[in-house]
Amino acid sequence: MTTAQETPDSERLSRLEVTVDYLVREVGDIKADLRQMRIESGKQNRALQEAIDRNRRELREAIDKNR
C-alpha cells in the first residue's frame, strides 16, 4: 500500500502556472480562429448577396423583356 505524499505548495503553484499559461494560449488561439471565421463568413455573405442582387437584376430584365 502506498502512502499519499503531500505536494509542496511551490510545486502545486508551478503546476497551476503552467496550466494557466497553457489555457491563456488556447484562448488566444480560439479567439484568432473566431476572428478568421468572421472574416471568411463576411466574405461569403458579401458574395452571396452579390449573387442574389445579380439574379434579381437578371430576373427583372427578363420580366421587362416579356412585357
Side-chain angles (χ1 to χ4, degrees):
M1 181 170 173
T2 60
T3 59
Q5 295 179 344
E6 284 193 32
T7 305
D9 287 343
S10 61
E11 188 177 330
R12 290 176 64 208
L13 182 57
S14 294
R15 287 182 185 175
L16 284 172
E17 288 173 338
V18 169
T19 301
V20 168
D21 288 343
Y22 170 78
L23 291 173
V24 166
R25 282 192 303 274
E26 284 292 308
V27 167
D29 291 346
I30 291 168
K31 288 169 84 174
D33 290 345
L34 288 172
R35 275 192 297 272
Q36 186 61 38
M37 289 171 68
R38 275 197 308 267
I39 290 168
E40 291 172 10
S41 176
K43 289 178 183 177
Q44 291 173 349
N45 288 344
R46 281 189 293 280
L48 285 171
Q49 189 60 51
E50 289 171 3
I52 290 169
D53 293 342
R54 188 172 43 254
N55 288 339
R56 281 185 181 146
R57 282 192 304 272
E58 291 173 1
L59 183 58
R60 284 185 194 134
E61 289 173 4
I63 289 171
D64 289 344
K65 281 183 182 178
N66 290 323
R67 286 188 179 179

